Amino acid sequence: MKRLALNAAALAVLAMTIFPVYWMFLTAFKPTSDIQAATPTFWPAHPTLEHFATAISAPNFWTYWRNSLVVTVAAVLLALVVALLAAFAVTRMRWRGKGAFVLAVFAAQMAPWEALLVPVFIIARDTELLDSLTMLTGVYFMITLPFTIVTLRGFLQAIPLELEEAAQVDGCGRLMAFRRVVFPLLAPGLMATSLFGFITAWNEFAFVNVLIIKDQDRRTLPVWLSSFRDVFGTDWGATMAAASLFALPALLLFLFLQRRVGTGMTAGAVKG
């Protein structure tokens, strides 16, 4: 009975979590008459792609799509490189101030990034980097870096140090031991970290609104979602289709990486 109760509770939470996403995709395929009907329908009787056509043909759609992809991928890759070096230094080296550095990273991870909107705007204004994708990439890098360091630090700590020592005994240098032994075992951690970093940067909205003011061609997809609201109200069909298109890259990336993200790859690698 206890297991049944827990399973029922888990299914209820799952249903509450999935239903808004299902309703978003459902509304995207519904005709406008069904969306505005007084009686809701939970399956499109006459599915249509009209709303997706409206979303794709919206002004600057492909420009915003390219901007989002460029700044997100650049920020995530840069954060992975820097965080990997930082996590290696924290877990594999001894140096003065390491504890303070780790504490600072955790504090940066817990801090609300919205509190930095005004300081970041002042810096961008004084350095003439407003309306710049470079500044936006730097901000996304700043947002994703603490989480990436913390996550990769945990994955590196789970890899036995004896593996590197055994490789060094066999003639590998420290860098070669890391590249040939540790890095392949760290691949699931890199994939998991890149996935969460991608989602964080892809969904960010506030900094785009603050840093991209005049040049509308430099904005990203989260801002584009607000383009289906006018003086006559909101085009809910086109808005849901746009939201579905916006969520699709992160969903596909998750489906691609979820089988490759695992733990326990080092279990039994070192025999006592």
Side-chain angles (χ1 to χ4, degrees):
M1 292 299 295
K2 182 179 180 181
R3 176 175 293 182
L4 288 176
L6 290 175
N7 289 339
L11 289 175
V13 172
L14 179 64
M16 288 187 293
T17 304
I18 291 181
F19 182 77
V21 181
Y22 168 74
W23 194 257
M24 176 185 71
F25 282 102
L26 176 66
T27 306
F29 286 99
K30 279 184 179 181
T32 303
S33 57
D34 291 350
I35 296 175
Q36 298 176 351
T39 303
T41 56
F42 296 90
W43 188 258
H46 306 285
T48 178
L49 296 177
E50 175 187 358
H51 302 308
F52 287 94
T54 302
I56 293 176
S57 61
N60 297 323
F61 167 72
W62 295 109
T63 301
Y64 290 179
W65 182 282
R66 183 194 64 222
N67 292 343
S68 288
L69 192 62
V70 168
V71 298
T72 300
V73 172
V76 170
L77 291 178
L78 187 59
L80 283 176
V81 173
V82 176
L84 182 59
L85 297 175
F88 181 81
V90 168
T91 57
R92 294 295 195 261
M93 297 180 179
R94 295 180 180 178
W95 43 280
R96 182 177 299 176
K98 183 171 70 172
F101 173 78
V102 174
L103 182 62
V105 171
F106 275 102
Q109 171 65 21
M110 293 184 293
W113 293 111
E114 292 77 8
L116 299 179
L117 281 172
V118 174
V120 169
F121 172 80
I122 294 174
I123 293 173
R125 183 197 61 190
D126 294 344
T127 56
E128 299 182 355
L129 286 176
L130 288 175
D131 300 309
S132 169
L133 292 182
T134 302
M135 185 64 186
L136 202 58
T137 302
V139 170
Y140 289 172
F141 164 73
M142 174 187 68
I143 292 175
T144 56
L145 183 60
F147 169 80
T148 309
I149 293 176
V150 171
T151 307
L152 290 182
R153 173 177 174 266
F155 277 99
L156 273 173
Q157 286 178 333
I159 298 176
L161 183 60
E162 290 81 0
L163 290 176
E164 291 181 71
E165 294 175 347
Q168 292 176 12
V169 169
D170 291 338
C172 289
R174 192 165 195 175
L175 181 60
M176 184 177 295
F178 178 82
R179 182 171 61 87
R180 293 188 175 183
V181 178
V182 178
F183 189 78
L185 296 174
L186 194 60
L190 292 172
M191 291 181 180
T193 307
S194 63
L195 174 62
F196 289 106
F198 183 92
I199 293 174
T200 300
W202 185 262
N203 292 333
E204 204 286 318
F205 175 83
F207 282 99
V208 182
N209 256 353
V210 171
L211 299 178
I212 310 297
I213 303 175
K214 298 179 181 179
D215 193 351
Q216 301 297 315
D217 291 339
R218 299 287 183 177
R219 294 198 164 191
T220 56
L221 282 178
V223 179
W224 167 73
L225 286 175
S226 63
S227 62
F228 300 98
R229 187 185 303 112
D230 52 29
V231 293
F232 300 103
T234 301
D235 185 347
W236 290 111
T239 300
M240 293 299 103
S244 301
L245 292 173
F246 174 72
L248 196 58
L251 179 61
L252 293 177
L253 183 63
F254 172 77
L255 293 176
F256 176 74
L257 294 180
Q258 59 95 13
R259 290 185 178 181
R260 294 166 172 80
V261 176
T263 57
M265 293 186 64
T266 61
V270 178
K271 296 183 179 180

